[in-house]
Amino acid sequence: MRAVLLVNPKATTTSERARDVLVRALRSEVDLSVRYTRQRGHATTLAREAAEEGVDAVVTLGGDGTVNEVVNGLMTATTAGGAEPTADRLPALATVPGGSTNVFARSLGLPREWPEGASMILEGLRLGRHRTIGLGLADDRYFTFCAGFGLDASVIHRVEEARRRGRVSSPSLYFRAFTAQFLLGNERRHPAIQLERPGEVTEGELATIIVQNTAPWTYVGDREVNPNPEASFDLGLDVMALRQLGVASTTRTVTQFFSSTPDPRGRKVLRLHDVAEFTLVASRPQAFQLDGDYLGEREKVRFTSVPAALRVIC
């Protein structure tokens, strides 16, 4: 089996020594080449090149942002004979958790820490153990586990700015960013988003949107956060929208995310399950994120579910 290991050298939970250990372990199982990302977006190019070289598997060492870039590289590769990239024609994806949260890897059942995750990946490669998952597509960019339009994307933007100033990613940093955005942002006072579905009545005056391709949406430490607990890689997309961001109603809804049996409901909550496609349209630009990476502001985004898109080692 030929495999490529794509390494983000800035991965927050691994060291150069740890990477060397992983490389030696992988080389005991597969014919391995190692490639390092140099800047944001580089993993997309490297993954596309690996797929077009015909390797059997692409292994990532990094966080959710690295995984997202690699998935987009695989899904936009030109396969043999110019055929459309389908799960059986593309390399399998193996994800060794190397970021601070690792939502995608953990949603596949991998442990949070990279040594245990690497051990399971090695076993999966040895046994040929994989599953085929669906992806989400937002305009022309794929995502693996979540997207956000409005408040949660604005929070991620604040966190990314804080990290550029040297702050360490932590639950407390996200909480402070959420509190500041909730109190100071425009989302609370002027809901500006509408959700359009083919053949359905348009839902208007929505304040913020969370889209999930699987559950959970994220983790706080070891605890799952589940706005859409029925979301699944095997189904379409799930949506949770808040019509207003009142202090009492939002606090109640967010508390429900953390329940051991989450089922967020209320007059201010819109939930949609297993949706094939929809479009978000805003009267003013909204913060936008995919898989935890802030991508700027948008006024319109079309979402599509892409079933059985990719094989993953698990």
Side-chain angles (χ1 to χ4, degrees):
M1 174 184 284
R2 293 173 57 216
V4 170
L5 172 64
L6 299 183
V7 178
N8 177 359
K10 296 181 180 178
T12 56
T13 60
T14 60
S15 63
E16 184 175 353
R17 180 178 180 182
R19 292 193 290 270
D20 290 343
V21 170
L22 176 62
V23 168
R24 288 196 297 270
L26 286 168
R27 282 186 169 146
S28 70
E29 299 292 340
V30 298
D31 178 7
L32 184 74
S33 63
V34 183
R35 301 168 192 180
Y36 290 85
T37 64
R38 293 193 297 270
Q39 67 266 335
R40 189 168 185 171
H42 191 207
T44 297
T45 301
L46 294 177
R48 186 183 298 119
E49 291 173 349
E52 293 174 353
E53 291 168 10
V55 303
D56 301 295
V58 172
V59 185
T60 68
L61 177 60
D64 290 311
T66 301
V67 173
N68 179 276
E69 289 186 13
V70 168
V71 166
N72 276 275
L74 295 177
M75 294 300 296
T76 55
T78 301
T79 55
E84 287 294 317
T86 57
D88 60 329
R89 295 190 180 108
L90 291 172
L93 172 66
T95 302
V96 178
S100 58
T101 310
N102 305 303
V103 178
F104 178 69
R106 293 164 74 181
S107 67
L108 292 172
L110 294 172
R112 180 182 180 183
E113 303 300 330
W114 81 264
E116 291 81 4
S119 177
M120 289 187 68
I121 290 298
L122 288 166
E123 183 179 295
L125 289 168
R126 184 164 55 250
L127 300 177
R129 187 174 61 212
H130 69 271
R131 63 179 288 194
T132 301
I133 65 168
L135 298 171
L137 181 64
D139 289 338
D140 59 354
R141 181 157 176 167
Y142 293 89
F143 62 98
T144 62
F145 64 92
C146 83
F149 199 61
L151 177 63
D152 90 301
S154 295
V155 171
I156 285 171
H157 188 206
R158 283 180 177 269
V159 169
E160 288 186 358
E161 289 182 328
R163 292 183 68 179
R164 280 194 288 271
R165 296 193 299 268
R167 302 294 296 275
V168 176
S169 179
S170 66
S172 62
L173 178 59
Y174 276 91
F175 178 76
R176 288 193 296 271
F178 170 81
T179 301
Q181 186 63 36
F182 179 75
L183 294 175
L184 302 175
N186 287 326
E187 302 93 342
R188 187 158 67 95
R189 291 176 289 277
H190 306 290
I193 308 168
Q194 62 182 28
L195 186 151
E196 302 172 352
R197 286 188 291 164
E200 301 287 345
V201 175
T202 296
E203 298 281 356
E205 295 188 335
L206 304 173
T208 190
I209 313 283
I210 289 172
V211 182
Q212 287 175 239
N213 186 50
T214 189
W217 169 50
T218 190
Y219 293 84
V220 175
D222 291 328
R223 191 163 189 173
E224 296 182 356
V225 185
N226 263 317
N228 292 296
E230 295 180 338
S232 169
F233 286 128
D234 301 321
L235 299 172
L237 301 173
D238 277 29
V239 179
M240 195 219 68
L242 297 181
R243 300 184 187 277
Q244 293 182 357
L245 293 174
V247 174
S249 62
T250 303
T251 301
R252 182 169 57 252
T253 301
V254 171
T255 300
Q256 292 172 339
F257 295 174
F258 290 85
S259 169
S260 58
T261 55
D263 187 20
R265 294 185 182 274
R267 291 186 299 108
K268 307 301 184 184
V269 177
L270 170 68
R271 296 244 317 266
L272 302 174
H273 175 58
D274 192 15
V275 183
E277 63 176 290
F278 61 94
T279 301
L280 301 180
V281 181
S283 59
R284 63 175 182 274
Q286 298 290 308
F288 174 55
Q289 65 91 3
L290 291 180
D291 287 344
D293 272 358
Y294 177 70
L295 299 179
E297 294 185 332
R298 304 283 193 278
E299 293 183 8
K300 183 177 181 179
V301 183
R302 181 173 182 265
F303 287 88
T304 310
S305 172
V306 186
L310 192 65
R311 290 178 300 131
V312 293
I313 304 296
C314 58

